[in-house]
Amino acid sequence: MNKANLKFSGALAFLAIFAFGMHLRTLSILHNEPDEMVYSYLAHRLAASPSRYDLQGALTGKAAQEFAEQVVGPDPKSTITGPVEILYFPTDAQGQRLPRFDPTIYDRPIFHHPPAFSWLLSWVQRLAGFRYGVLLSAFFHVLTVVLTALLARRWGGPGVGLIAAVLMATEAVTWVIAERIWIDAMLQALVVATLYAAIKAAERGTLLANILAGLVFASACLTKLPACLIAPAVYGVWRQPEARLDQRAKLGYVLAGCLPVVIWLLVSARIDGALLRFTLPTAWMIENFPYMARVVARSPLYFFVALFCASPLLFLAFLAPLGKYRQPWMRIPMVWATTFFLFMTMVGLRGLGFQLRFLAPIIPALCILAAAVLAQSKPWQFVLGIALLVYSLRVGMSAAIVPGSSGPGLPKDLIFFLQDVLGVTVPDWFLEIW
């Protein structure tokens, strides 16, 4: 390893260790946001019954105790001895059992998302203890930082690689998903891993390398099906001059990438009766969860405005295709980001709603493009970039440490600064977008 590579590896290792260490604070908060409760419940269910991937019925014994501690905190004065359910509240005075989650979506014989995250979480909780399950998301954040740096170095050089790593390590939305028992951190990491594996396999050109790369793609899709949207970027890799692929290698990639996903879909369809289940917010969810009502009512401008307020440096990515910044390699991260963004906007308009964590898969691409711009910036611009980076980290750390929060919300500090310090009136449309 030459001196430049040694410096790059050392700096990246320090950043990765520092980021993971900072995430240890998440062990001190309750993880009782609804999606966190769902994934933790599934992990406990899989640990007890590996063939059951559903939320129906109750947890008992140690699993019930651990799940209750995660939701309400440990209480040395009481021990849970009875069963604990998640889908329904306990029977009330009138003898009714009201649902906690929409039964049409959650009270099904198999859960609607693929099982990779819940299965892996169940193993982490068994090996390290249920309390440490949340660190799985922190691990995937670190993996994303490393893979983003390697991709950026490959395309733009060591400087761009390290800048992209720092952006990825401090980005607000990513920081929040790294401190939640959510599927998003794993999805983000495996999307980056899919592209990196495809590049390495395309260069080698061997059947084995492409089968392994295809399995990485399958793992991403078995985490969450929208991971398949990285496919156009993978195709762009295949079209690069350095790709040494024949039809046999491409077929190996496609079969390895698609067969496990098809098998999951068929198994799910056999159990539940539907090949694909689109779980858009229902009228019940909108009526019973005020936050969901806000999410569905948001304008598509929310993605732009909220991401800018949380991570303003990412908007340098929009300068990358322009003028002196434009380079041929940027086509792939641009395709990557655009495909996911358009899809998320489309399904958001059709009823899914708008949440910043939906953009998690495109954030590494934006960090790479923004890093390429920052690498060519003037000293004063770089100093301003550092200030914005610190701001983004503060936003992410503040939102992540609040139990039950779902990500960066209305930027109250920014509004205070504009209105009370600068005397600038914040327009109504800005407030309504949240």
Side-chain angles (χ1 to χ4, degrees):
M1 181 179 293
N2 60 41
K3 191 173 181 179
N5 287 337
L6 188 61
K7 287 183 178 180
F8 177 86
S9 300
L12 185 57
F14 173 81
L15 183 63
I17 293 170
F18 179 77
F20 189 82
M22 291 285 286
H23 284 311
L24 294 178
R25 69 192 192 125
T26 192
L27 297 173
S28 65
I29 70 169
L30 295 177
H31 292 278
N32 53 13
E33 186 273 338
D35 281 351
E36 291 188 281
M37 293 170 59
V38 165
Y39 289 119
S40 182
Y41 196 93
L42 286 169
H44 279 97
R45 167 61 51 77
L46 286 169
S49 305
S51 62
R52 286 195 62 183
Y53 182 53
D54 63 81
L55 299 169
Q56 296 176 327
L59 296 177
T60 58
K62 183 181 178 182
Q65 174 73 34
E66 290 178 346
F67 181 75
E69 286 184 16
Q70 176 193 310
V71 175
V72 300
D75 184 354
K77 296 181 181 179
S78 64
T79 300
I80 301 296
T81 56
V84 173
E85 287 194 77
I86 189 174
L87 289 179
Y88 296 91
F89 291 104
T91 304
D92 61 18
Q94 286 73 40
Q96 295 181 316
R97 296 178 69 239
L98 298 176
R100 181 181 280 112
F101 296 95
D102 189 344
T104 62
I105 294 178
Y106 293 95
D107 194 358
R108 308 291 286 262
I110 191 168
F111 191 60
H112 51 273
H113 286 312
F117 175 74
S118 299
W119 178 83
L120 189 56
L121 179 62
S122 73
W123 275 101
V124 171
Q125 291 185 165
R126 273 182 280 181
L127 295 174
F130 85 98
R131 180 169 176 261
Y132 299 97
V134 66
L135 295 182
L136 180 63
S137 293
F139 164 79
F140 279 115
H141 181 202
V142 170
L143 180 60
T144 303
V145 169
V146 172
L147 292 174
T148 300
L150 294 177
L151 275 177
R153 181 181 67 167
R154 185 179 196 85
W155 287 328
V160 174
L162 285 178
I163 294 172
V166 172
L167 291 177
M168 196 70 242
T170 57
E171 195 278 322
V173 179
T174 301
W175 195 272
V176 175
I177 66 174
E179 300 198 355
R180 288 284 180 268
I181 306 175
W182 284 345
I183 205 168
D184 304 89
M186 183 172 175
L187 172 66
Q188 184 185 64
L190 290 183
V191 165
V192 186
T194 295
L195 192 58
Y196 185 74
I199 291 172
K200 300 292 285 186
E203 285 186 350
R204 295 184 181 182
T206 64
L207 177 61
L208 178 59
N210 280 276
I211 288 175
L212 293 175
L215 290 174
V216 177
F217 175 77
S219 299
C221 294
L222 289 175
T223 300
K224 201 171 186 181
L225 290 177
C228 68
L229 297 171
I230 196 63
V234 171
Y235 179 73
V237 168
W238 289 0
R239 296 291 302 273
Q240 296 297 300
E242 58 268 25
R244 301 164 53 195
L245 292 167
D246 56 22
Q247 293 303 316
R248 184 165 165 263
K250 291 179 181 178
L251 181 61
Y253 183 99
V254 171
L255 290 177
C258 295
L259 277 179
V261 181
V262 171
I263 291 172
W264 153 255
L265 291 174
L266 292 176
V267 169
S268 180
R270 182 180 179 184
I271 295 173
D272 194 49
L275 189 63
L276 287 172
R277 284 169 55 193
F278 296 98
T279 54
L280 300 177
T282 63
W284 186 94
M285 295 170 68
I286 293 171
E287 181 181 351
N288 287 274
F289 292 96
Y291 174 72
M292 192 58 64
R294 294 205 315 272
V295 164
V296 173
R298 284 170 174 165
S299 159
L301 289 176
Y302 174 81
F303 276 156
F304 288 101
V305 175
L307 189 60
F308 176 77
C309 290
S311 302
L313 269 180
L314 293 188
F315 277 72
L316 292 177
F318 292 94
L319 300 179
L322 306 177
K324 65 176 183 177
Y325 302 116
R326 185 178 183 88
Q327 299 178 53
W329 63 261
M330 292 179 176
R331 294 172 187 166
I332 293 176
M334 287 168 60
V335 168
W336 168 7
T338 302
T339 304
F340 276 96
F341 185 85
L342 290 178
F343 177 82
M344 290 304 167
T345 299
M346 180 185 71
V347 296
L349 289 170
R350 293 184 65 85
L352 181 65
F354 297 90
Q355 299 184 61
L356 278 182
R357 61 178 165 137
F358 294 167
L359 297 183
I362 78 169
I363 287 173
L366 297 179
C367 286
I368 292 170
L369 294 171
V373 175
L374 270 175
Q376 299 185 51
S377 63
K378 297 176 182 178
W380 71 267
Q381 294 170 325
F382 203 82
V383 171
L384 176 60
I386 293 174
L388 293 176
L389 180 147
V390 172
Y391 163 81
S392 182
L393 178 61
R394 182 184 182 278
V395 170
M397 293 183 71
S398 299
I401 204 65
V402 179
S405 71
S406 56
L410 181 68
K412 297 178 181 178
D413 289 349
L414 178 61
I415 293 173
F416 171 80
F417 179 75
L418 292 175
Q419 291 191 163
D420 293 12
V421 177
L422 299 183
V424 177
T425 302
V426 176
D428 291 339
W429 67 264
F430 180 85
L431 299 175
E432 292 170 357
I433 205 170
W434 303 86

